[in-house]
Amino acid sequence: MVCTNREDCQKPFGFAGDGGVTSINVKSNPDMVSVLRWGENFLPAYHINKQHWVGIVLDYGAETDEILMLLDWGYDLMEK
C-alpha cells in the first residue's frame, strides 16, 4: 500500500494499493463524499472512515483532472 502524506504534518491524504492499482482512497469533505458516491467512478473508501474518505475507481472512466483535483483537495484538508 502506498500512503501519501503531507510533509508538514505527516497525516495521509491518499492511499493506493500495491501492484495493479485499480482504485485509490482520498480524504474529502463529508458533503463532497456523499455527492461523489452518486457517480459510478466513486465508492465508499476501503478500510477507512467512509464519511471523510472516498474511493476512486481508476480503470472505470474517472478523469485524470478530476482525480488530481480531489488529491489537491485532500492535501488541503490536512492543513486543518
Side-chain angles (χ1 to χ4, degrees), residues 43-67:
L43 305 168
Y46 185 68
H47 289 294
I48 300 176
N49 182 321
K50 290 161 181 47
Q51 181 181 1
H52 296 278
W53 292 79
V54 64
I56 305 171
V57 182
L58 299 175
D59 58 355
Y60 199 67
E63 297 293 325
T64 303
D65 291 342
E66 189 173 31
I67 294 168

Side-chain angles (χ1 to χ4, degrees), residues 6 11 13 18 25 29 34 57 64 68-69 74:
R6 282 185 57 105
K11 292 182 182 178
F13 65 92
D18 292 330
N25 293 323
N29 177 300
S34 64
V57 182
T64 303
L68 293 175
M69 178 184 65

Side-chain angles (χ1 to χ4, degrees), residues 2-80:
V2 177
C3 176
T4 305
N5 293 336
R6 282 185 57 105
E7 294 174 8
D8 57 341
C9 68
Q10 296 302 310
K11 292 182 182 178
F13 65 92
F15 292 91
D18 292 330
V21 176
T22 58
S23 68
I24 58 174
N25 293 323
V26 178
K27 185 159 181 73
S28 188
N29 177 300
D31 293 331
M32 182 61 74
V33 169
S34 64
V35 170
L36 288 170
R37 287 184 33 200
W38 283 93
E40 60 186 14
N41 299 322
F42 304 97
L43 305 168
Y46 185 68
H47 289 294
I48 300 176
N49 182 321
K50 290 161 181 47
Q51 181 181 1
H52 296 278
W53 292 79
V54 64
I56 305 171
V57 182
L58 299 175
D59 58 355
Y60 199 67
E63 297 293 325
T64 303
D65 291 342
E66 189 173 31
I67 294 168
L68 293 175
M69 178 184 65
L70 290 169
L71 285 169
D72 284 342
W73 287 351
Y75 183 87
D76 291 343
L77 282 172
M78 299 315 299
E79 288 182 331
K80 300 176 181 179

